[in-house]
Amino acid sequence: MKAVVDYMQSIDPILAAFYATLFTWGLTALGAALVFFFKTMNRAVLDGMLGFTGGVMVAASFWSLLAPGIEMSPGEGFEKVMPAAVGFLLGAVFIFGLDKILPHLHINFKESEAEGIDTGWRRTTLLTLAITLHNIPEGLAVGVLFGGVAAGFEGASIGGAVALALGIGLQNFPEGFAVAMPLRRYGLSRKKSWLYGQASAMVEPVAAVLGAWAVLTFQPILPYALSFAAGAMIFVVVEEVIPETQLDKYTDIATMGFIGGFIIMMALDVGLG
């Protein structure tokens, strides 16, 4: 792990962010590849996976994004926390806007409950877009943190950036499986289910590069950018991930999955950061 951290520190930050999110994308593809080996997915397993995803995202939002953003903000008291508050709100509003515009359908919801602009798109496309929607803030978070490290901001560390990428990658593995299996159930071939499943994470490298570039180009925005990514991720967890785990009888499993994901992400960030 030390070798990875040292290597990431030695290369261009935008390239480092790109490589890190190629890793998270790769784990999504690997998780989606399980569709070649399994015909169905147990609902309890799915809810546990989704809970794990939510726990990682919430822990990353605080330990990797909000806390460093507050730490590197100038001033004291309310003045010090204001950039984090503003960025957090803007991130949530940004995903709220996308949620209202982008046609998508959450994994455990009925087709009549599709959100966004009305279209004639197939259910499989809507499901993929739902996962793509919450991969945007994940990629952005990684890119912003790598950009902050390169800009030399106190509170942003290469270890923390690597930990964030690792944590997001870990939750992307079950996420890839969680989107590929329903697609298979709706009639797609194994190959197409895998292609759609891994495609949902293709947005992460793009968002990461844009995030790193923005921070390096406009350095004063870093506290706002970190909090923006946190607000976007929390919105996704509350609006999408948690409700999806509460539609069946496995809510306790989902909750324990959430706790496990939170603990793992917290440990990674503190241990490596």
Side-chain angles (χ1 to χ4, degrees):
M1 183 58 69
K2 185 179 185 300
V4 173
V5 172
D6 291 342
Y7 174 72
M8 287 297 197
Q9 199 161 19
S10 68
I11 63 176
D12 180 84
I14 294 179
L15 189 59
F18 180 70
Y19 285 162
T21 44
L22 281 183
F23 166 75
T24 63
W25 177 18
L27 283 182
T28 304
L30 193 61
L34 293 176
V35 75
F36 292 106
F37 306 100
F38 297 94
K39 293 183 178 180
T40 60
M41 186 197 307
N42 185 282
R43 180 58 185 269
V45 173
L46 174 61
D47 286 348
M49 287 179 172
L50 290 173
F52 180 86
T53 293
V56 169
M57 293 176 74
V58 169
S61 295
F62 176 74
W63 295 100
S64 300
L65 301 171
L66 275 176
I70 294 171
E71 182 180 343
M72 65 184 62
S73 298
E76 297 293 336
F78 287 111
E79 182 184 359
K80 189 173 184 65
V81 79
M82 193 55 63
V86 172
F88 191 85
L89 176 62
L90 290 177
V93 169
F94 172 70
I95 297 298
F96 173 79
L98 286 182
D99 189 67
K100 296 303 178 186
I101 296 171
L102 183 69
H104 62 284
L105 176 66
H106 301 317
I107 292 174
N108 289 326
F109 284 66
K110 299 176 182 178
E111 194 162 359
S112 61
E113 297 176 297
E115 299 180 17
I117 297 172
D118 288 336
T119 69
W121 294 353
R122 297 176 62 184
R123 184 184 183 108
T124 52
T125 302
L126 296 175
L127 282 168
T128 305
L129 287 175
I131 301 298
T132 302
L133 181 64
H134 79 70
N135 281 329
I136 294 173
E138 293 174 5
L140 182 64
V142 172
V144 165
L145 203 49
F146 272 105
V149 173
F153 279 88
E154 184 179 354
S157 70
I158 192 69
V162 169
L164 177 61
L166 182 57
I168 288 176
L170 287 175
Q171 62 96 18
N172 274 5
F173 179 81
E175 186 177 272
F177 188 39
V179 69
M181 285 306 300
L183 295 176
R184 175 64 177 156
R185 190 169 65 246
Y186 296 140
L188 266 66
S189 67
R190 285 186 169 89
K191 183 178 179 181
K192 284 189 175 181
S193 297
W194 176 78
L195 286 172
Y196 274 86
Q198 63 83 31
S200 65
M202 290 178 66
V203 70
E204 289 190 3
V206 177
V209 168
L210 289 175
W213 172 82
V215 168
L216 288 171
T217 306
F218 310 102
Q219 291 188 16
I221 72 168
L222 181 59
Y224 295 92
L226 289 170
S227 304
F228 181 96
M233 286 209 288
I234 292 297
F235 183 92
V236 166
V237 172
V238 175
E239 196 275 338
E240 177 184 337
V241 178
I242 292 177
E244 288 177 5
T245 67
Q246 304 300 304
L247 299 177
D248 213 309
K249 58 184 178 181
Y250 303 110
T251 56
D252 288 344
I253 293 175
T255 301
M256 294 310 298
F258 183 99
I259 297 299
F262 189 98
I263 290 172
I264 289 174
M265 185 65 238
M266 178 178 64
L268 284 171
D269 190 86
V270 175
L272 295 177

